[in-house]
Amino acid sequence: MYTMNKNKKEKLVVVDSGRSAVKVITPEGFDLLIPAVVSPAHEITMDVDLSKEDYYWLQFEGEEHFVGRLAMEQSRFAYQDRSRKKSNQNNRLMIVTAIAACVDDGDEVILLTNCPARDWATQRHELTDFLKGIYSVTHRAGLKSGQTINFTITKVYPLPEGAGAFYGYIYTPYLELVHPDLLDGSCLVIEWGDQTVNYIVVNDGEYISESCGSMDLGLHTALAEVVKWAETQGKGITIAEVASLAIKNKPLYIGSTPVDINPILQEAYQRLNNVVLDRLSGRFSFTDFRNILLAGGGAPVMVESTKQRLQTLCNIHYDMEASQWLNVKGFRVMYGLMQQEAAERCQDES
């Protein structure tokens, strides 16, 4: 059995493992986005440049896997995890891939990772135990091709999605306050993911766990509407294909006829946003919130319809460029604040 080098220092790795993409950062400035797609690996017979930095072909626990772009391009059996339970093998594989991409052989890892707001209280201890341990990963593609990376996850901090987005928006990674107005009064964070929508309540900067939750009404719900519409036109298409067309701004061909799906998708997004806001209004009164922060990968497409409905009641905040990175940035901030508080307590006790 591999024994870790006791002289190695601990390394902080922050992983937001979503159902559509995995975002990774480290304090050293490393950042990475990997499509959350995996498949069993197979020998590649055609001429493929396996040195590409975003190709992940891993040997892990006696099995080989394609991860991310390589899985999407090379396998008919590529899939995305849709499990609500975060302590599952697919999620662990994505997290291990992310860590193995940014640590050195023998490193000991402090891992900050995500859990849906509604499941954080019930899953965080199980997720911690599930992820801790010694790992050995051999890269067969990418920048580390041929290298075996051994590392130990010594500490795991599961953090609630949405809460990270709040702290990632109001602080820089160096704990400099850039949006102090969100620390006054109540703020509702609506974090749009592919599978879930997390809602977080923060009062005067304090996270209120009992007022947080998640709904299975992520962006895939709107994409599924487009799939159903296409079926009425005699065209079969998957949710992943709809998402790809939308991202690339390409038409859907029905026979030889190009059809712009963007207007159809925008209407589906607006209907979905109205459903989510209706459900939230059954739990909260929007007049109780001074601020609303939109975050997550779906925030940019929900901004205008949210403003139309709520901007006379609340201040609407969003970061169009960094919305899908706010959680992972915020997890680092939350860890820094925890370390700062611990240091202050030690100083007071001394």
Side-chain angles (χ1 to χ4, degrees):
M1 179 179 290
Y2 180 79
T3 303
M4 297 302 297
N5 185 343
K6 298 300 183 181
N7 295 322
K8 289 288 184 179
K9 65 177 182 179
E10 289 184 317
K11 185 169 187 176
L12 182 68
V13 180
V14 191
V15 181
D16 180 4
S17 179
R19 289 175 174 88
S20 60
V22 175
K23 279 84 70 177
V24 191
I25 62 170
T26 69
E28 294 79 19
F30 180 94
D31 64 80
L32 179 68
L33 187 147
I34 307 172
V37 182
V38 301
S39 76
H42 54 79
E43 291 299 325
I44 298 176
T45 55
M46 52 186 130
D47 186 17
V48 176
D49 181 7
L50 292 176
S51 66
K52 290 182 179 179
E53 63 180 15
D54 58 349
Y55 275 0
Y56 296 94
W57 178 355
L58 305 178
Q59 183 177 17
F60 173 58
E61 294 186 337
E63 296 182 350
E64 295 193 1
H65 310 269
F66 292 155
V67 179
R69 179 182 165 193
L70 190 60
M72 296 167 66
E73 293 180 355
Q74 296 294 328
S75 179
R76 294 187 299 111
F77 303 103
Y79 63 94
Q80 290 176 296
D81 172 49
R82 296 286 176 184
S83 173
R84 174 171 169 175
K85 188 174 182 180
K86 296 298 286 186
S87 53
N88 67 77
Q89 294 298 337
N90 188 77
N91 186 47
R92 188 167 72 129
L93 176 60
M94 294 305 308
I95 290 174
V96 166
T97 300
I99 294 173
C102 65
V103 302
D104 297 319
D105 186 43
D107 276 351
E108 297 184 351
V109 176
I110 301 171
L111 172 64
L112 314 182
T113 193
N114 60 302
C115 191
R118 68 179 171 199
D119 301 319
W120 178 72
T122 57
Q123 291 193 21
R124 57 187 175 131
H125 297 301
E126 180 183 357
L127 185 59
T128 296
D129 294 338
F130 181 72
L131 293 174
K132 275 185 178 179
I134 297 175
Y135 295 87
S136 181
V137 176
T138 298
H139 293 266
R140 295 196 60 187
L143 294 179
K144 293 185 176 181
S145 181
Q147 296 184 39
T148 296
I149 306 297
N150 300 284
F151 62 91
T152 294
I153 301 178
T154 57
K155 299 174 185 175
V156 180
Y157 294 88
L159 297 169
E161 298 165 6
F166 176 81
Y167 291 102
Y169 182 74
I170 67 171
Y171 286 99
T172 72
Y174 305 101
L175 307 186
E176 299 163 335
L177 190 58
V178 291
H179 291 287
D181 49 319
L182 268 75
L183 291 176
D184 293 330
S186 290
C187 178
L188 174 65
V189 182
I190 305 175
E191 195 250 346
W192 285 94
D194 177 65
Q195 184 77 9
T196 57
V197 181
N198 294 291
Y199 54 93
I200 305 295
V201 175
V202 182
N203 285 336
D204 296 329
E206 293 294 324
Y207 171 73
I208 311 300
S209 60
E210 60 270 20
S211 298
C212 304
S214 307
M215 294 178 279
D216 291 318
L217 289 170
L219 297 182
H220 77 285
T221 308
L223 298 176
E225 281 197 33
V226 180
V227 170
K228 290 181 180 178
W229 170 85
E231 289 174 352
T232 67
Q233 308 301 306
K235 176 71 174 181
I237 190 171
T238 66
I239 287 179
E241 288 169 336
V242 171
S244 178
L245 290 175
I247 291 169
K248 297 175 182 177
N249 197 27
K250 289 186 174 181
L252 170 67
Y253 279 90
I254 301 177
S256 61
T257 305
V259 178
D260 182 6
I261 65 169
N262 281 311
I264 301 165
L265 185 55
Q266 292 305 316
E267 289 179 4
Y269 282 145
Q270 183 158 0
R271 285 192 293 271
L272 174 59
N273 195 28
N274 283 332
V275 170
V276 168
L277 294 179
D278 285 344
R279 291 200 182 182
L280 289 175
S281 68
R283 180 162 190 184
F284 307 111
S285 171
F286 289 116
T287 56
D288 291 339
F289 299 104
R290 180 186 179 199
N291 299 295
I292 290 180
L293 171 63
L294 298 181
V301 298
M302 298 301 181
V303 169
E304 291 307 315
S305 57
T306 303
K307 281 184 172 182
Q308 290 173 12
R309 184 159 169 178
L310 298 177
Q311 68 179 351
T312 59
L313 301 176
C314 316
N315 300 314
I316 310 297
H317 298 259
Y318 60 96
D319 187 328
M320 195 66 79
E321 296 298 321
S323 56
Q324 71 172 333
W325 285 90
L326 288 180
N327 259 324
V328 68
K329 290 180 177 180
F331 292 157
R332 180 185 168 187
V333 168
M334 292 172 74
Y335 180 75
L337 292 172
M338 286 188 288
Q339 296 293 100
Q340 189 178 78
E341 290 173 4
E344 290 173 355
R345 282 197 303 271
C346 289
Q347 188 173 15
D348 291 342
E349 290 172 1
S350 63

